[in-house]
Amino acid sequence: MTPLLVALGAAVGAPARYLVDRAVDRWVGTRFPAGTVVVNVVGSFVLGVVAGLPAGPAVSALVGTGFCGALTTYSTFGFDAFRLAREKRVVVAAAYVVGSLVLGLTAAWVGMRVA
């Protein structure tokens, strides 16, 4: 049953990631990976809420592993940082990495406090 719950959560998280990323890119532009920042911060917050609740293994599998796992993206985060650095935008790349980490950790902490 757990693999099915993970798959169901991922079936919602992956399209949500795509749609949010595209919407943010249309609004902000594509020179800075703001869409990746948004989905990673939102996912960190949601995972913080799940971790802060007395959620059982089914909710953790569905929302934590499935939805948040498909919504957030470490690979795109890493690639975007590399791309910014390769474009000789090293300061922007460093700010992106540090800012993403600080925002993600803060969002997870706030999510746990909200729960």
Side-chain angles (χ1 to χ4, degrees):
M1 184 59 143
T2 301
L4 179 60
L5 291 171
V6 171
L8 288 172
V12 175
R17 182 210 180 301
Y18 175 79
L19 294 171
V20 168
D21 188 53
R22 296 293 75 120
V24 172
D25 282 353
R26 278 192 304 276
W27 185 51
V28 174
T30 58
R31 279 194 43 86
F32 183 80
T36 302
V37 173
V38 169
V39 296
N40 286 341
V41 170
V42 168
S44 294
F45 174 79
V46 171
L47 192 55
V49 170
V50 170
L53 292 174
V59 172
S60 293
L62 177 71
V63 180
T65 304
F67 177 76
C68 290
L71 177 69
T72 60
T73 172
Y74 188 78
S75 58
T76 302
F77 164 72
F79 177 78
D80 287 340
F82 176 78
R83 178 182 57 82
L84 290 167
R86 189 180 62 206
E87 291 172 355
K88 309 275 191 262
R89 298 170 63 200
V90 178
V91 173
V92 174
Y96 171 65
V97 169
V98 171
S100 292
L101 290 172
V102 169
L103 289 171
L105 290 170
T106 301
W109 179 80
V110 170
M112 290 182 75
R113 299 295 295 167
V114 166

